[in-house]
Amino acid sequence: MKRAIPVVVLSIAGLVPVWRYEPSIGGTTSTTESASTPSASASAGSGSSSGTVVKGTLLQTEKGPVQVQVTFDGDKITAVKMLQQPNHPQTTAAVPVLISETLKAQSADIDTVSGATITSDAYKKSLQAAIDSNAESASTASPSASASASASASAAASKTVSGSTVNTDKGPVQVSVTFEGDKITAVKMLQQPNHPQTTAAVPVLISETLKAQSADVATVSGATITSDGYKESLQAAIDAKG
């Protein structure tokens, strides 16, 4: 009987950290995982169930299966729940520490809990798989949403205005001007005289307009009439845009 008492006392003492466990910032336990039968139903959780819920990879360890479920609000981890874990006192004590550290770190880059190395490593792998899956889902949805938003913004900001038709001795001249906000981004000739001088002058006039961002551009030598008609129609488009 004298030899049996210390064993009983030590066994009871060994259970005290489990019954009185409170998560600590250091996140360590001093015991070692024992080879008990795994329990697939054992779980521990933290936080709200709202948001995007993603399951991590199921990992089979020598101590039993480990799988986490992570709740995200965008990229933020708001909750972690153990779906499967080894049925050991050391794991039971380690899980709240792992979850607490995950919520602080907002990643799987957390310390291994001493005495529960196998569970800690599997937890981090399952957690990382859930984080990767959430990021992949976000990146898949993001481009289409971005493209749609960008197209809408572009359509709202872009505006094309036709200038007045100016009848000259050489023929009618009319331009259309595309604006993004107040910026002139394009000029197109809707009507122009059918002359070589006009054909050569138009690209010069448009180029100078894009630089000057106004109708205050120089007349092209040899195409004075077309240049004057172009500038008049351009100014009318600028005035009409407001």
Side-chain angles (χ1 to χ4, degrees):
M1 289 298 293
K2 289 182 180 181
R3 293 176 62 83
I5 291 172
V7 174
V8 172
V9 170
L10 287 174
S11 298
I12 293 171
L15 293 175
V16 169
V18 177
W19 289 100
R20 300 186 60 190
Y21 176 79
E22 293 180 3
S24 63
I25 294 176
T28 60
T29 62
S30 60
T31 54
T32 303
E33 289 176 311
S34 57
S36 301
T37 304
S39 171
S41 62
S43 66
S46 172
S48 163
S49 61
S50 62
T52 302
V53 178
V54 182
K55 291 181 181 179
T57 305
L58 172 61
L59 299 167
Q60 298 292 343
T61 75
E62 60 187 82
K63 302 300 181 183
V66 174
Q67 184 180 28
V68 304
Q69 175 180 286
V70 187
T71 302
F72 297 91
D73 181 2
D75 291 333
K76 183 180 180 183
I77 299 172
T78 58
V80 181
K81 179 181 180 181
M82 294 298 289
L83 297 180
Q84 298 193 61
Q85 67 184 65
N87 187 23
H88 301 300
Q90 295 86 354
T91 295
T92 302
V95 164
V97 179
L98 292 167
I99 291 174
S100 175
E101 292 304 307
T102 299
L103 295 175
K104 289 179 190 174
Q106 287 296 301
S107 73
D109 185 17
I110 57 175
D111 292 333
T112 296
V113 176
S114 177
T117 302
I118 293 173
T119 294
S120 296
D121 289 346
Y123 169 93
K124 289 190 281 184
K125 287 179 182 178
S126 185
L127 173 63
Q128 188 61 58
I131 292 171
D132 291 343
S133 179
N134 182 63
E136 185 177 348
S137 297
S139 66
T140 300
S142 217
S144 61
S146 276
S148 177
S150 179
S152 296
S154 178
S158 181
K159 183 178 182 181
T160 300
V161 181
S162 295
S164 58
T165 299
V166 180
N167 290 305
T168 75
D169 292 341
K170 301 297 182 180
V173 175
Q174 184 184 24
V175 304
S176 73
V177 186
T178 301
F179 300 89
E180 285 189 8
D182 292 328
K183 184 179 180 182
I184 298 172
T185 57
V187 180
K188 181 180 178 182
M189 295 299 289
L190 298 180
Q191 297 186 70
Q192 68 183 64
N194 186 22
H195 299 296
Q197 295 88 342
T198 296
T199 303
V202 165
V204 178
L205 292 167
I206 291 174
S207 176
E208 291 303 308
T209 301
L210 296 176
K211 289 178 187 176
Q213 289 294 302
S214 73
D216 186 16
V217 295
T219 297
V220 177
S221 178
T224 303
I225 293 173
T226 296
S227 296
D228 290 345
Y230 169 91
K231 291 190 281 184
E232 186 178 336
S233 184
L234 174 63
Q235 187 61 57
I238 293 172
D239 294 341
K241 185 263 176 188

